Amino acid sequence: MTRIFHVRSLDPALYEDERTVLLSTEMIRACRLAPDSAVKLRFGSASCEAVVRTAAEPGASPDEELCLHPALRRRLGIHGGCRLSLVYQPSAATLYAGPLVGVLLSRLYSSQEMPFGSMTTFCRELTKAGEEAGVSLFFFSPEEIHTFPDLGGLYYDEKWKKGIFPVPHVIYNRLTSRKYENKPEVQHFLKAVQLRHQTHIFNDKYLDKNAVFSALGSETALQNCLPESHPFSNYHMLKAMSARHRTLFIKPASGSLGKGIFRLHVREDGSCEVRFSALSGTVVLPYPDLFEAYFHMAGKIRTQAYQIQEGLDLLTIGGRPVDFRALVQRDGGGEWVLSSIVARIAAEQHFVSNLARGGTMTAVPEALAGTSLASRKGSIQRTLKSTALTVAQAISRNVKGTFGELGVDLALDTAGQVKLLEVNSKPSREEFSLPSPAEETLVRPSVRRLLDYAVYLAGFM
């Protein structure tokens, strides 16, 4: 079992030399070390020769203390007044300090108060959770990887500060742009840290809608939850799908935030209506036949991969479609658990419920209470939760990659049958809680769970 230590530096004159690591007698015993042990001290990819010596007892200090010579701290890249765990491996005579977790973000801004833009609040929440869990965090962007094997980044110690860090034990990929994630230098960096330093990376890539539905198609437990979906290739496929389903959704396979989605409805007389969502509302375009509708969409469909999906007769509230986003995460034992689930109601004149498109968020029981399924809301809520977990477990079995959290979008048809809409590996942090003002300074359980999983991956158990 690991112990968490408060790391600090004393006056250099109190150390015998720059290699000295001071621990209390009790802590030396807990780490199964002997006083004056020569060890290799590792923090992420950084390592230094060190000697563990007995320090005075911590006394009134609330935390066990790990006292490092300031020069040793600098060489290892340990910044700020952090709290870390120690794990000693006798066979390698190595004392591991950590874990060190790097959070990869799309970009850093020049603002000292908001260096990560709208993500800054989440980053502070992660930092606070790290302080509680004994995890050292830093935040970096693709701009900082050119200094590899050292990495520049920001950390929080009463204010945001710049630092140089070793390659971390774990990288949490929060790149929210495929443009950044697909850059050759970013892909090279992610592969290099895995091969050279055995760094664990989770949520290492975006999910493709076509790949997800193909992977889940073999899962017996999900057969009734999957609307008919295919990679969209040509007019003949559109014609065949429209013969089976009067309403179709045509979505960018790598899209997000409800962008670029077409809703196609074929009337009894063969004429068509195409709807797509704009920030100002839904644009409605009539066409005399299916081919004319296809011709309108063909320009976009040829430039990127699309998915064609059966349109569902979805549950509505006041005529507005409602769906459900579940946040499913791995816990400190690597098991999938449901962290939260919320209902999203589409804005007036919109057919997608994304908050970015004006949708509103509410608790699931409240949403169901205002529908025709109100009498079944207890059993439906349980089914939504179990389906979200089943989807996450199936993704981890069938899709290559390491995922620590997934946003699972579900819907209900008018009969109360749960349907899967899509799965997101970069879920928005704003869509999973309904905090009261008194809770805004608290760390959400979902944020703590992210670090529990990072600790699990790093082996600091």
Side-chain angles (χ1 to χ4, degrees):
M1 182 177 178
T2 59
R3 302 286 288 268
I4 296 175
F5 299 83
H6 181 76
V7 182
R8 70 186 183 106
S9 295
L10 303 175
D11 185 329
L14 297 176
Y15 299 92
E16 291 193 23
D17 57 43
E18 291 187 358
R19 301 181 304 148
T20 302
V21 175
L22 297 178
L23 285 172
S24 70
T25 302
E26 179 190 351
M27 293 304 103
I28 289 175
R29 190 180 303 116
C31 291
R32 298 180 181 179
L33 286 160
D36 301 321
S37 296
V39 299
K40 180 177 286 187
L41 180 60
R42 293 190 65 95
F43 180 63
S45 64
S47 65
C48 293
E49 299 300 323
V51 177
V52 178
R53 302 192 189 281
T54 304
E57 297 300 319
S61 173
D63 299 306
E64 292 96 350
E65 292 183 337
L66 170 65
C67 299
L68 304 177
H69 192 285
L72 184 58
R73 284 187 64 158
R74 286 193 296 272
R75 285 201 296 272
L76 290 170
I78 299 176
H79 298 277
C82 60
R83 299 172 72 233
L84 297 173
S85 298
L86 290 179
V87 176
Y88 181 60
Q89 190 176 89
S91 60
T94 299
L95 186 62
Y96 295 90
L100 175 63
V101 175
V103 182
L104 180 56
L105 300 162
S106 293
R107 58 178 296 192
L108 302 182
Y109 297 82
S110 57
S111 169
Q112 292 186 347
E113 296 297 322
M114 301 288 285
F116 317 107
S118 62
M119 289 285 287
T120 303
T121 301
F122 171 58
C123 294
R124 279 285 292 115
E125 192 177 1
L126 263 179
T127 299
K128 188 172 183 180
E131 292 167 357
E132 296 173 359
V135 176
S136 179
L137 285 118
F138 72 99
F139 304 84
F140 68 111
S141 74
E143 296 175 1
E144 276 69 49
I145 65 176
H146 70 277
T147 58
F148 176 69
D150 294 320
L151 296 171
L154 297 182
Y155 66 99
Y156 193 84
D157 184 21
E158 298 184 348
K159 64 179 182 179
W160 291 107
K161 299 178 180 178
K162 292 182 178 180
I164 301 296
F165 299 85
V167 175
H169 299 100
V170 177
I171 291 176
Y172 171 33
N173 182 350
R174 276 302 303 183
L175 290 173
T176 51
S177 164
R178 286 177 174 83
K179 179 182 74 172
Y180 287 114
E181 189 168 273
N182 292 331
K183 283 186 174 182
E185 59 268 31
V186 172
Q187 289 300 310
H188 174 76
F189 165 76
L190 295 175
K191 289 183 175 66
V193 296
Q194 288 175 301
L195 291 172
R196 297 184 202 174
H197 303 289
Q198 291 73 56
T199 297
H200 297 275
I201 303 171
F202 69 95
N203 286 50
D204 51 348
K205 65 178 182 181
Y206 276 92
L207 290 173
D208 176 274
K209 293 180 177 64
N210 288 323
V212 166
F213 275 79
S214 175
L216 298 183
S218 61
E219 293 284 331
T220 305
L222 295 173
Q223 291 306 301
N224 293 331
C225 299
L226 302 178
E228 184 179 3
S229 306
H230 305 281
F232 188 19
S233 55
N234 53 44
Y235 172 70
H236 298 292
M237 173 171 284
L238 180 63
K239 188 175 181 180
M241 282 286 284
S242 66
R244 294 191 291 274
H245 312 289
R246 286 289 181 185
T247 300
L248 298 168
F249 280 87
I250 299 161
K251 309 175 182 180
S254 58
S256 60
L257 302 177
K259 295 178 182 178
I261 298 176
F262 296 101
R263 179 186 182 274
L264 171 69
H265 178 71
V266 182
R267 300 188 182 95
E268 290 291 338
D269 63 2
S271 63
C272 299
E273 177 186 272
V274 173
R275 296 179 175 230
F276 61 92
S277 185
L279 291 176
S280 58
T282 299
V283 177
V284 183
L285 299 174
Y287 294 95
D289 55 44
L290 188 64
F291 184 79
E292 288 293 325
Y294 172 77
F295 185 78
H296 167 79
M297 296 183 289
K300 287 192 174 182
I301 292 166
R302 290 194 189 104
T303 60
Q304 61 178 308
Y306 266 74
Q307 178 194 58
I308 185 167
Q309 188 175 87
E310 164 192 358
L312 302 169
D313 187 13
L314 293 183
L315 188 70
T316 61
I317 296 177
R320 295 184 291 166
V322 58
D323 65 23
F324 306 88
R325 170 157 281 194
L327 177 64
V328 189
Q329 297 177 296
R330 290 187 190 266
D331 63 14
E335 300 296 324
W336 286 106
V337 295
L338 182 80
S339 292
S340 66
I341 184 167
V342 296
R344 303 184 305 177
I345 305 168
E348 292 285 354
Q349 306 302 317
H350 281 269
F351 60 87
V352 294
S353 62
N354 303 73
L355 301 191
R357 298 285 163 179
T360 56
M361 186 169 65
T362 188
V364 175
E366 290 179 18
L368 293 175
T371 72
S372 59
L373 301 175
S375 63
R376 298 165 51 195
K377 65 182 181 181
S379 62
I380 287 174
Q381 191 168 6
R382 288 191 293 273
T383 303
L384 286 167
K385 292 177 179 180
S386 64
T387 302
L389 277 172
T390 301
V391 168
Q393 292 159 355
I395 290 287
S396 63
R397 283 194 299 268
N398 297 297
V399 178
K400 186 177 180 181
T402 301
F403 303 101
E405 62 177 355
L406 294 168
V408 180
D409 290 352
L410 302 169
L412 292 167
D413 63 21
T414 52
Q417 174 68 48
V418 175
K419 299 290 184 179
L420 175 67
L421 298 180
E422 61 182 73
V423 184
N424 189 344
S425 62
K426 304 295 177 77
S428 166
R429 302 310 310 180
E430 287 74 40
E431 294 195 356
F432 294 112
S433 61
L434 297 163
S436 67
E439 294 174 328
E440 288 180 355
T441 59
L442 302 179
V443 177
R444 289 170 289 178
S446 63
V447 176
R448 287 195 180 92
R449 194 161 285 137
L450 281 172
L451 294 187
D452 289 343
Y453 182 56
V455 171
Y456 166 79
L457 288 177
F460 282 77
M461 305 296 293

